[in-house]
Amino acid sequence: MSEAPATPSAPPSLAELFRVFFQIGCISFGGAAGQIALMHRMLVDERKWIEERDFVSGLNFCTLLPGPEAQQLATYIGWRLHGLAGGTMAGLLFVLPGAALILLLAQLYAWGANLPSVQAALLGVKAAVIAILIEAVLKIGRRALGANAFRMVALVAFLAMMAFAVPFPVVILGAALAGLWIGVPPPPATAAATAPIRLPWRAAFLCLALWWMPVLLAALVMGPGHLLVEVGLFFSKLAVITFGGAYALLAYLSEEAVSRGWVSPTQMLDALGFAETTPGPTILVNPFVAFLAGWQKEGSAIIAWLAGLMALWTTFAPSFLWIFVGSPSLDRVNANRALRSALAGISAAVVGIIATVGAKFAILVLFPQAKTFVFGPIQLLAPAGSPDIKAMLLAALALALSFLLHWSMLRMLGMVTIAGLALFFVA
């Protein structure tokens, strides 16, 4: 006989909510999948603060939104338990521990990035990230590429960004239109799904005002052409178009950050490596990149910290807007066939986009002298010069630990980083 589903416990106090989400923010390693699993275990299985169906419904809603779905899910759960105050608290606590650590690491990196021992450790991190990106392609591909039509969307997205330098927003828009054309079956109809959409206008206005206030303040104080304004506008744009998680935006972020002179290609790789080693969403790569932009473009630690904080704010503030405005009509949004079809197309394209990021990342790590070859409309990054033997050995170790021994991401990353240091001292 099957057991009856557990009855949800009484809602926690705000103090309990604070304590648990602070704990989650401190130990949320492993990317979005690991973070969502952690919240499910702590909030559904152990504390029974939210029912399984509500957790899944919230997760389905968050996958429709641009931005970091795990942080949005934390915000949604906090909102379910304690309204705007609970959602704000949960969403912030999910991010702040990792954000504080990533900015401290950015400062340490700016001071010591050229030390040989630091470079050796970072080479191990980069090699580990190659394995992480391959695993992400495989995992997301199994979920998103069920039909041949969606496999074709993924292939076209890969070729568009790998060989033809099509801008990321154009690829996402094209994938959404392709998803609408292909279509997906509608979910089962429910009474709630046919209810009218309710928009909480006061919450929407407040979230919009808070989102743009730092950008407007920087424009008034520093001038509209200042780096802080540029950072605020750029990462606000990314927050609106970033579907499919942090890996999906890396190709566009790398291209823009390098072309703007914020970071070098090598520093972009290092930024991703640091984001993988800290708790919280991988999209915390954004404030790391912004910090280096302030450090290198303005030559000021104060501007660097302000740029990092600006990127942090404009990356995550929009998530509160999406959750607080959309959650009251959650069932209606989840049941929208057009949204689900567009998302299916975008999810398929994300597989190709992450494959592009992984391929370019691997080429730059394994062949430091790689060059972009131009043949008419084709712009292809290809290996050039001698390969980095140490990087190849470390990448092979990372792949073996991940796919043969099935080590966890964090354990594998730590071992490969130690191996990179060992190679520095013995070779």
Side-chain angles (χ1 to χ4, degrees), residues 277-318:
T277 62
T278 53
T282 307
I283 207 170
L284 285 172
V285 66
N286 289 0
F288 192 101
V289 168
F291 184 100
L292 293 184
W295 184 270
Q296 293 171 166
K297 293 277 287 185
E298 299 292 330
S300 165
I302 294 176
I303 296 298
W305 277 91
L306 290 176
L309 292 172
M310 178 69 81
L312 180 68
W313 183 260
T314 51
T315 293
F316 291 101

Side-chain angles (χ1 to χ4, degrees), residues 147-157 169-184 337-350:
N148 288 333
F150 287 117
R151 295 191 182 104
M152 184 58 65
V153 172
L155 177 60
V156 170
V170 175
V171 174
I172 290 294
L173 177 60
L177 294 174
L180 286 171
W181 179 70
I182 297 168
V184 297
R337 186 176 183 179
L339 281 176
R340 298 178 71 86
S341 297
L343 179 69
I346 292 171
S347 297
V350 163

Side-chain angles (χ1 to χ4, degrees), residues 321-348:
L321 174 64
W322 316 144
I323 294 297
F324 294 154
V325 172
S327 292
S329 300
L330 177 62
D331 292 307
R332 180 72 180 269
V333 174
N334 277 338
N336 188 296
R337 186 176 183 179
L339 281 176
R340 298 178 71 86
S341 297
L343 179 69
I346 292 171
S347 297

Side-chain angles (χ1 to χ4, degrees), residues 192-212:
T194 61
I197 290 179
R198 296 182 293 114
L199 293 179
W201 294 106
R202 284 186 293 182
F205 177 79
L206 179 61
C207 289
L208 276 170
L210 290 174
W211 172 4
W212 288 104

